[in-house]
Amino acid sequence: MNTPNPRIAIIGSGYGGAVAAYQLTQAGYSVELIEMGADWEKIPAKNGKKFTSMVSPSERSMWFKDRTDMPLGSLMYLDIVNKNIDRGPGVLDIEKFEHMKVYVGRGVGGGSLVNGGMAVTPDRAFFEHVLPSVDADEMYATYFPLANQLLSVEEPPKDLLQNSKWYGFSRVGVAHATKAGFSSTTVPNVYDWDYMREESFNNVPRSALDGQVIFGNDHGKKSLPKTLLAHAFATGRVKLREFTEVVTIQHHKDNSTFSLTLNTINASGETTGRTVEVYDKVILAAGSIGTSKLLTAAKARNTIEDLPEETGKKWGPNGNIMTARWLGLDTTTGCFQSGIPANGVTNWDGSEQSVFAEVAPFPAGIETHTSLYLAITNNPNLADFTWNEEKQATDLNWDSKMAEPSVTSTRNFFDTINRANPGTGYRYDLFEGGAPFADYFSYHPLGGMILNEATDNYGEVKNVPGLFVMDGSLIPGKIGVNPFVTITALALRNINALLTANRFTTTTK
Ligand code: FAE
């Protein structure tokens, strides 16, 4: 007999979690959405804003930190970029490992609250190379278009890119790459471009044009609470548990249920409770780091028996390297810069020399004569998570040697651009240790529970029926472009197939 109301937990409310909540509730299931961060819909605005700009951070900016820790840590070698802040449940967090800092979003909406909104469908040949078990025909005919539609993705309009002062930085980045013989591309985004145009005319409150990106965005960005999560909540079938962290998962093989230990906090970070709840089905969508940490611990402690050997394997930073070029005093990128990137420059051919670099804003409020880039590269190296019994924590064995192929391809690409634009070179004053190529942090963590290796071909964990993975951890380390469209499309495909196969129905005797 089928139980009509299986108890389903979704851990994490980023892209994977939002898709799971959306599709399951559309199919008539009720779900519990468990999110360790805040529900910003319930937090009142302060001085008219929920979120802060990068130049005026507060306790809303970073997850319980005393000081901000931005990727660009210094300017002219001076520690003047980061600021002391009060501790609070801010939207941006950093997962720190020995040689890698991973930036993540915290709050209902996950990474969609803090990201640049760049919504890129990957090159088909590269997608097939990275995820060979997935039917690419189906993805490119059905799930990528559906993901773009549900996320509200739009191409940036020509008038803003070609004429407005807010995209001078982008035009310079494109012109310099073109001179070096490289291609450039516009980059679709979930930002409401019509709203941005009104921002530029000062007709509406500003957000992207007021330095709001990595610490949240008050207006134009269509983050998940405005799209997929809004649809899921509208069904009335989502029980949202914000400020609730899943700390352990236990599988009861005898009756096929799972116990989750849940810690709740308040906005001051004080622990307000610890409960154990039992579920029939658990969908892990805590992000590549969150999901890998939970399952690496569960495997080491044997709270879930028979987790596959592939648990915690094949993690990568999507080849992320940040770099900045000094352009010389004659070249200006503008005191006014939109916080939303809109162009990429590229030589992508699928080889290890491939680079796709977004031309990133540097909204310092002054002329910097600088082009900033976040490069995505094709690095063959992958790392693994392991459990450290002494520290009772998860380690990641990524190190700077593993980043070398990414640094080499990025250096070759931008050396060519510098040579084609005499008088330009690298900036050494912005990143840790005076490095021109920041290889020690990532915005795009991917991997840890690889599709068709640690899970079956639709995200159900091998040997553990009823346990699913639905986030960036399914993708082995890289995807060649900014990842959230792929994470969304893959989750749409997986949940659809799992629903068809009745994998969320519980059978009782
Ligand atoms: P994610 O969105 O990280 O959601 C995981 C959620 O789970 C979070 O809300 C966590 O708080 C929550 N969570 C974690 N552990 C637990 C636990 N134990 N208990 C309860 N809740 C938990 O995962 N990607 C693009 O495609 N375009 C961009 O322009 C872009 N820009 C970025 C800029 C920044 C600053 C950052 C940090 C990321 C950027 N990304 C971008 C990456 C993108 O946001 C990321 O790939 C997705 O958010 C990952 O989606 P997931 O569903 O895997």
Side-chain angles (χ1 to χ4, degrees):
M1 198 183 95
N2 287 341
T3 310
N5 292 314
R7 208 167 162 203
I8 302 175
I10 301 172
I11 307 173
S13 62
Y15 293 89
V19 167
Y22 169 75
Q23 282 179 303
L24 286 169
T25 54
Q26 298 290 323
Y29 290 91
S30 295
V31 299
E32 292 187 30
L33 185 58
I34 306 170
E35 168 57 54
M36 64 188 277
D39 178 6
W40 286 91
E41 299 302 309
K42 294 188 189 134
I43 295 189
K46 193 169 145 189
N47 305 325
K49 297 200 167 182
K50 290 199 184 208
F51 300 112
T52 75
S53 70
M54 287 185 278
V55 292
S56 310
S58 76
E59 76 286 355
R60 293 167 179 241
S61 307
M62 293 205 71
W63 183 253
F64 298 106
K65 303 269 186 298
D66 299 312
R67 191 169 167 77
T68 60
D69 185 350
M70 291 197 261
L72 251 85
S74 58
L75 196 57
M76 314 288 274
Y77 300 103
L78 299 172
D79 183 14
I80 52 175
V81 179
N82 285 306
K83 301 203 166 85
N84 292 338
I85 49 173
D86 289 335
R87 290 174 86 78
V91 275
L92 186 68
D93 197 5
I94 304 178
E95 294 270 14
K96 285 191 182 156
F97 299 96
E98 200 177 349
H99 300 288
M100 175 53 65
K101 286 159 70 166
V102 181
Y103 286 87
V104 293
R106 289 269 177 261
V108 174
S112 80
L113 299 172
V114 298
N115 66 33
M118 299 175 73
V120 193
T121 299
D123 169 69
R124 177 167 170 155
F126 198 65
F127 176 85
E128 288 178 12
H129 164 69
V130 174
L131 289 166
S133 68
V134 178
D135 178 350
D137 282 343
E138 187 185 45
M139 289 298 289
Y140 283 79
T142 305
Y143 293 108
F144 279 119
L146 184 60
N148 282 303
Q149 182 208 323
L150 290 169
L151 294 170
S152 219
V153 174
E154 282 178 64
E155 275 287 334
K158 285 203 173 98
D159 61 324
L160 277 172
L161 291 197
Q162 291 175 357
N163 308 320
S164 93
K165 66 181 178 189
W166 300 98
Y167 281 99
F169 75 95
S170 227
R171 293 193 288 274
V172 171
V174 167
H176 282 204
T178 307
K179 218 166 162 196
F182 293 131
S183 311
S184 67
T185 163
T186 52
V187 178
N189 206 288
V190 298
Y191 205 86
D192 181 339
W193 297 104
D194 290 334
Y195 188 88
M196 193 187 289
R197 191 177 295 104
E198 293 303 311
E199 284 182 62
S200 75
F201 299 141
N202 243 331
N203 289 340
V204 292
R206 285 182 167 169
S207 53
L209 303 192
D210 187 28
Q212 281 200 331
V213 193
I214 63 172
F215 296 148
N217 184 285
D218 268 286
H219 299 293
K221 196 166 83 185
K222 284 177 256 166
S223 50
L224 291 168
K226 293 183 183 164
T227 56
L228 280 167
L229 286 174
H231 292 307
F233 293 150
T235 63
R237 298 195 188 101
V238 180
K239 176 176 176 185
L240 177 62
R241 290 170 170 264
E242 73 272 24
F243 278 145
T244 305
E245 181 180 7
V246 176
V247 287
T248 62
I249 308 179
Q250 184 151 24
H251 184 214
H252 308 290
K253 262 175 114 173
D254 49 344
N255 65 359
S256 303
T257 59
F258 298 86
S259 293
L260 302 187
T261 310
L262 308 178
N263 269 7
T264 48
I265 60 161
N266 61 21
S268 308
E270 294 151 355
T271 303
T272 51
R274 174 176 271 230
T275 54
V276 176
E277 301 279 345
V278 178
Y279 298 91
D280 299 303
K281 311 282 173 184
V282 172
I283 300 171
L284 281 137
S288 161
I289 303 293
T291 293
S292 301
K293 277 168 89 170
L294 281 167
L295 292 183
T296 301
K299 183 163 174 60
R301 293 163 166 164
N302 210 26
T303 60
I304 306 176
E305 276 177 54
D306 305 327
L307 273 171
E309 276 316 304
E310 293 87 348
T311 301
K313 302 266 196 278
K314 296 195 179 176
W315 181 88
N318 204 20
N320 279 183
I321 300 288
M322 196 169 246
T323 190
R325 295 174 52 242
W326 168 250
L327 307 176
L329 290 174
D330 293 339
T331 305
T332 55
T333 48
C335 301
F336 300 98
Q337 301 195 7
S338 166
I340 295 295
N343 284 103
V345 293
T346 183
N347 68 353
W348 199 275
D349 61 4
S351 73
E352 278 182 28
Q353 283 304 312
S354 296
V355 175
F356 170 72
E358 70 185 61
V359 184
F362 191 170
I366 51 167
E367 176 55 56
T368 61
H369 305 281
T370 298
S371 276
L372 182 68
Y373 307 87
L374 181 69
I376 293 167
T377 59
N378 181 13
N379 187 332
N381 294 324
L382 294 167
D384 298 331
F385 294 94
T386 48
W387 180 248
N388 185 323
E389 188 58 36
E390 198 187 320
K391 288 195 281 175
Q392 289 289 298
T394 309
D395 289 337
L396 175 68
N397 66 357
W398 182 268
D399 61 31
S400 56
K401 262 209 123 18
M402 297 174 90
E404 272 173 16
S406 296
V407 172
T408 302
S409 55
T410 306
R411 185 192 295 277
N412 290 342
F413 183 74
F414 286 106
D415 278 357
T416 309
I417 293 181
N418 285 340
R419 274 197 301 273
N421 294 276
T424 67
Y426 296 107
R427 284 192 73 148
Y428 295 83
D429 59 316
L430 301 175
F431 305 113
E432 285 176 15
F437 301 101
D439 62 358
Y440 52 83
F441 76 83
S442 174
Y443 280 176
H444 300 163
L446 292 172
M449 285 303 288
I450 305 307
L451 188 80
N452 209 36
E453 295 184 16
T455 74
D456 72 4
N457 201 22
Y458 297 96
E460 189 160 9
V461 176
K462 283 191 178 159
N463 313 330
V464 193
L467 186 67
F468 306 87
V469 172
M470 218 41 71
D471 54 22
S473 40
L474 293 173
I475 301 168
K478 60 188 170 184
I479 196 63
V481 292
N482 316 61
F484 75 61
V485 171
T486 307
I487 295 169
T488 304
L490 201 56
L492 285 164
R493 162 208 184 257
N494 293 346
I495 299 274
N496 202 30
L498 292 164
L499 279 167
T500 306
N502 260 330
R503 296 303 303 149
F504 299 106
T505 311
T506 313
T507 307
T508 52
K509 289 175 193 139

